Amino acid sequence: MSSSVFVTVGSTCFDALVKAVTEERFRNLLGRLGYTGLTIQLGRGEVLPAEGSEVKWYRYKPSLREDMTNASLIISHGGAGCIVESLSLGKPLVVVINEELMNNHQTELARQLYNDDHLLYTTPSGLYDVILNIKDKSFEKFEPNDPSQFGLFLDSVMGHS
């Protein structure tokens, strides 16, 4: 069974993440770690990766669930929806923070979930080092029993409680 990586930037432009995952050095690392495919959802970005046998990309789909389900590893922007969906599938997740967003609260959410051992997080420039050591990381299962609880959690992280 092949192992694949799914990258999502959501509906925004996050070219720094797309550049980071398509660099030859990074793709070589994925190969050394046993990942054989890379699928990128790139939203409104201007950076278009070269497609090949290991790299596929698209801008949008009505649902990312199939790509997330088929992936062995998910690399995602810091949007709460993508984070919760990824974690609900029990997949290893690396959240990459978009430092260019104004009033960015992605870091607080990612940091809390990292502190609870549910995911790893980084910036585009740190992604290589995080992936280099991901096989050594164990993750706690995220159990979103009651969807309203996640809303309360999110409110507390954002300081609205």
Side-chain angles (χ1 to χ4, degrees):
M1 181 174 163
S2 66
S3 295
S4 64
V5 177
F6 177 62
V7 179
T8 177
V9 305
S11 60
T12 64
C13 175
F14 195 178
D15 285 341
L17 175 54
V18 175
K19 285 178 186 175
V21 299
T22 56
E23 288 178 343
E24 184 175 352
R25 175 179 176 240
F26 186 82
R27 289 184 39 227
N28 288 340
L29 172 63
L30 292 180
R32 286 195 315 271
L33 294 174
Y35 297 105
T36 57
L38 176 63
T39 301
I40 306 167
Q41 179 273 316
L42 53 89
R44 294 185 290 125
E46 295 179 12
V47 173
L48 301 179
E51 277 192 89
S53 59
E54 308 94 34
V55 179
K56 307 252 184 276
W57 64 268
Y58 59 89
R59 291 198 180 275
Y60 301 103
K61 281 185 180 177
S63 172
L64 304 179
R65 187 139 185 111
E66 180 180 353
D67 290 315
M68 289 179 167
T69 300
N70 292 334
S72 304
L73 168 66
I74 299 170
I75 299 172
S76 176
H77 69 111
C82 283
I83 290 174
V84 171
E85 188 165 4
S86 298
L87 292 175
S88 73
L89 293 171
K91 305 286 181 163
L93 173 62
V94 176
V95 171
V96 181
I97 303 301
N98 187 346
E99 300 167 296
E100 297 175 11
L101 293 179
M102 298 296 290
N103 301 317
N104 188 356
H105 296 290
Q106 295 178 353
T107 304
E108 291 90 351
L109 176 60
R111 182 181 302 124
Q112 183 60 54
L113 291 167
Y114 167 80
N115 288 340
D116 294 339
D117 290 322
H118 296 302
L119 55 77
L120 296 173
Y121 78 102
T122 187
T123 60
S125 63
L127 184 58
Y128 182 93
D129 291 330
V130 168
I131 298 299
L132 183 63
N133 298 305
I134 197 163
K135 296 277 185 177
D136 299 330
K137 175 69 177 156
S138 62
F139 296 92
E140 290 292 319
K141 184 166 174 50
F142 180 77
E143 309 235 9
N145 351 21
D146 176 3
S148 67
Q149 292 301 315
F150 182 75
L152 294 174
F153 167 76
L154 192 57
D155 283 344
S156 71
V157 167
M158 301 302 182
H160 299 299
S161 59

